Amino acid sequence: MAVRLFGSMVALGVVVGTGGCVDGGSPPVDGLRAPAAAAVVGSQDTELLLRGAPWWPSGFNAPQIATNYAINYGCGAEVDLDEFFGKLPRNSLTRFAMFQALAVNKSTGELDFRAADAVFAAAQRHGQLVLPVLIPQNGDCDDEVFKQRDWFVRGWTEYRPIAGRAVMSPRDWVRTAVERWRSSPMVAGWTVIGEPEPSNCAGSTCEERRRTCPGDAAQVLRAFMDESGALVRALDPQRLIFAGFLGGGQCGTVATEFEFVGAALNVDVLEYHDYSDGDVALPGGRRNGLATRIVQARALRKPLLVAEIGIPAGSCLPVAERRDYLAAKLAAQRDAGTAGALFWAFVPDPRPDQCTLDIGPDDPLWAVVAEYSTLG
C-alpha cells in the first residue's frame, strides 16, 4: 500500500508499559495465546461473502489510524478512532497500515502494541470490519526500505535492527501480528505486503524509472506468496488472504504473470489499484488493464477487489465533482465484475487548498460508501 503524499467483543490489551486496560476498561487479552475468531468474511467464486451473504464492500483506505505520536513514529495525522469508526456506514470495509514500526515504541525501542490495539478495539466497539496490511513495498511509514528481488527470496526472513521501527524480521512480524489480532472477529482478512514488486534498483534510488525487472520475477513472487500465505494460513486458517497487487503491469505481475501469481493456493482475493482519470471506468490496456484482470480473476474463480481507487481533488477539482466521477467508476466496475472498491484515502485533516487524494470527515464520498456497500 503506497502512502500517497503516503456481537460483544473484548478489547485487546497492551504488551508493554504498566499494563491495565485499553479505551474504556476492557480487560487485557493475551493475543499470543488467543485462538482465531471465526471468520465472518469469505468468498465464493468471484464474490465476497459477509456472514454467508453476497457482499460488495466499499470503504476507505485509512493508512494513518494506528498513528500515536506519544508511542510511535506514526504515519500522518492522528485520528479520533471512535469518531472515524462510529461514522462509517454499515457493511463497509477499512483497509489500513499495520506495519511493524507502528507497534514499536520510538522511545524505548521495544514492542508496544497500545496504538495498534486501540484500532482493533475501536473497530470492535463499532462493529466495523478492517483489513490490515502488514508490510509496505516502498517502506513508507515502516522501515523506509524499498523491497527488491532478494527481499522476497530471503530478506523478509532476516532481522535488521532499525531504532524505533524494527525489532524482528518481517516474517516474524507477520507471525506476531496474525497471532495477536486473529482473535478479533472484525478482521476481514490479511494482506502480507501492499503492492509487491520484486524488481531491482539501480544505485541508491528506487524510483520507478531506475528499476529493472529480473527474468524470474513472477516465479519469485509466486514462491513468496506461497510461503508467506502458508504462514498466515497456519495461524488463521479461515481468514481470507489478499494479494495486495497494484495490478497495472508491475514487475512480477505483467500480463499473464498476474494470473500465474494470483493462482497461488494461499491467495484468496486478487487486487487492482486504480488512480486513472475520472472519466475512465476500466483503466489500462489489453495486457494489464482492469478489464483483463477481471477476466483473469474469473478464470481463477477468485474475487477481484479494487483495493485502492482515488482521484485528486481540492484546488484542482471540487470534491463534489470527484464524488460524481468515482460513483460512476464504482457503478461501471461493479457491473463489469469487481468485488468491491476502497477509496484512497481518509485523513482527518484534508487540505482543500491543495490538489491531493485527501478524503476528509465531511467529504461527499462518505455517502457513496453508504450507497455502494451492499449486502445480499
Side-chain angles (χ1 to χ4, degrees):
M1 175 170 58
V3 176
R4 290 180 163 79
L5 267 180
F6 135 127
S8 173
M9 296 91 176
V10 179
L12 295 168
V14 302
V15 153
V16 302
T18 58
C21 301
V22 175
D23 289 342
S26 297
V29 173
D30 186 347
L32 296 179
R33 292 195 298 268
V40 297
V41 176
S43 65
Q44 184 175 32
D45 291 335
T46 59
E47 280 190 321
L48 290 171
L49 305 175
L50 178 57
R51 299 181 181 90
W55 179 45
W56 203 94
S58 184
F60 297 107
N61 285 272
Q64 60 205 67
I65 57 176
T67 294
N68 184 329
Y69 285 111
I71 299 170
N72 55 40
Y73 280 116
C75 188
E78 294 183 4
V79 174
D80 184 318
L81 295 173
D82 282 313
E83 181 178 316
F84 172 71
F85 283 114
K87 185 176 179 179
L88 284 172
R90 289 170 55 86
N91 305 319
S92 62
L93 177 63
T94 299
R95 183 173 178 263
F96 76 104
M98 194 54 264
F99 307 152
Q100 181 178 172
L102 298 171
V104 175
N105 190 297
K106 64 184 180 182
S107 299
T108 68
E110 298 177 350
L111 278 177
D112 188 335
F113 289 109
R114 287 176 293 169
D117 283 349
V119 173
F120 291 91
Q124 292 173 188
R125 282 196 298 276
H126 295 280
Q128 295 291 348
L129 291 159
V130 294
L131 175 59
V133 180
L134 302 180
I135 301 169
Q137 167 69 31
N138 62 6
D140 284 355
C141 299
D142 194 39
D143 60 3
E144 306 298 335
V145 174
F146 185 89
K147 314 302 184 290
Q148 301 184 56
R149 176 194 178 278
D150 285 351
W151 184 92
F152 290 90
V153 176
R154 66 183 66 86
W156 83 292
T157 70
E158 299 170 351
Y159 169 43
R160 298 181 181 180
I162 303 175
R165 292 185 179 273
V167 299
M168 64 182 71
S169 71
R171 180 176 62 184
D172 287 343
W173 168 244
V174 171
R175 178 184 294 109
T176 298
V178 175
E179 284 182 330
R180 182 163 189 84
W181 295 301
R182 64 188 176 185
S183 61
S184 170
M186 306 319 297
V187 173
W190 303 98
T191 304
V192 173
I193 181 169
E195 300 187 343
E197 179 187 335
S199 55
N200 287 321
C201 302
S204 60
T205 179
C206 284
E207 58 190 44
E208 187 173 358
R209 66 184 179 87
R210 295 179 62 84
R211 298 174 204 161
T212 58
C213 189
D216 64 349
Q219 289 75 22
V220 166
L221 187 54
R222 171 68 180 263
F224 173 81
M225 291 293 181
D226 287 335
E227 184 180 358
S228 62
L231 172 61
V232 174
R233 190 79 78 203
L235 297 169
D236 196 358
Q238 296 183 30
R239 291 281 178 28
L240 297 179
I241 300 174
F242 291 68
F245 299 155
L246 202 162
Q250 286 64 42
C251 181
T253 54
V254 177
T256 58
E257 293 174 345
F258 182 95
E259 189 170 348
F260 169 73
V261 180
L265 181 63
N266 292 316
V267 169
D268 301 308
V269 182
L270 307 175
E271 290 187 25
Y272 188 91
H273 299 174
D274 177 9
Y275 292 94
S276 63
D277 292 341
D279 58 352
V280 180
L282 300 177
R286 294 181 63 181
R287 282 166 50 84
N288 297 299
L290 179 54
T292 297
R293 299 309 185 216
I294 292 170
V295 171
Q296 292 171 320
R298 285 177 181 152
L300 294 173
R301 301 180 66 182
K302 295 183 180 184
L304 178 70
L305 175 70
V306 182
E308 298 181 17
I309 182 169
I311 297 173
S315 63
C316 52
L317 181 74
V319 293
E321 289 188 30
R322 175 172 67 178
R323 173 203 59 205
D324 295 342
Y325 278 131
L326 285 171
K329 272 181 174 280
L330 261 62
Q333 292 177 4
R334 183 172 64 180
D335 289 346
T338 61
L342 307 178
F343 295 125
W344 189 281
F346 171 80
V347 299
D349 54 347
R351 296 158 291 178
D353 59 335
Q354 300 178 41
C355 183
T356 74
L357 292 160
D358 294 353
I359 301 170
D362 299 317
D363 195 286
L365 283 174
W366 285 80
V368 179
V369 171
E371 179 182 357
Y372 280 88
S373 296
T374 55
L375 184 65

